[in-house]
Amino acid sequence: MNLRDRVALNIQELRRARGLSQEELAHRAEVSRGHMGKVENAKFAASLDLLEHIAKALNVNPEELFTKR
């Protein structure tokens, strides 16, 4: 599994564990729902800045987005 796929799956898992919709996470991370969908489906390589916003929206350390689960 490449890093983009790992990050995408981790974001999905963390979002679902918190009971957030993709739209709500996108709102909290200040991006469009469509953009968030592309990140979660590994169709788009998120910038480090965006990953920091997503981690903050999920209330996790950014490192958790890269952790093998």
Side-chain angles (χ1 to χ4, degrees):
M1 175 180 295
N2 67 36
L3 186 58
R4 187 189 304 182
D5 291 334
R6 181 179 317 285
V7 169
L9 289 174
N10 285 344
I11 291 170
Q12 285 179 12
E13 183 179 301
L14 290 163
R15 175 181 60 78
R16 289 176 180 154
R18 284 155 180 73
L20 296 173
S21 67
Q22 199 175 68
E23 186 171 351
E24 179 61 25
L25 177 58
H27 175 75
R28 291 180 183 192
E30 302 176 1
V31 297
S32 71
R33 200 230 35 95
H35 192 79
M36 184 62 68
K38 289 178 182 176
V39 171
E40 281 196 11
N41 290 306
K43 305 260 188 246
F44 179 79
S47 69
L48 291 176
D49 291 336
L50 177 55
L51 292 176
E52 283 185 323
H53 284 280
I54 293 170
K56 183 176 180 180
L58 291 168
N59 198 30
V60 298
N61 290 322
E63 297 83 18
E64 289 190 50
L65 300 180
F66 299 94
T67 303
K68 184 175 181 177
R69 300 187 186 277

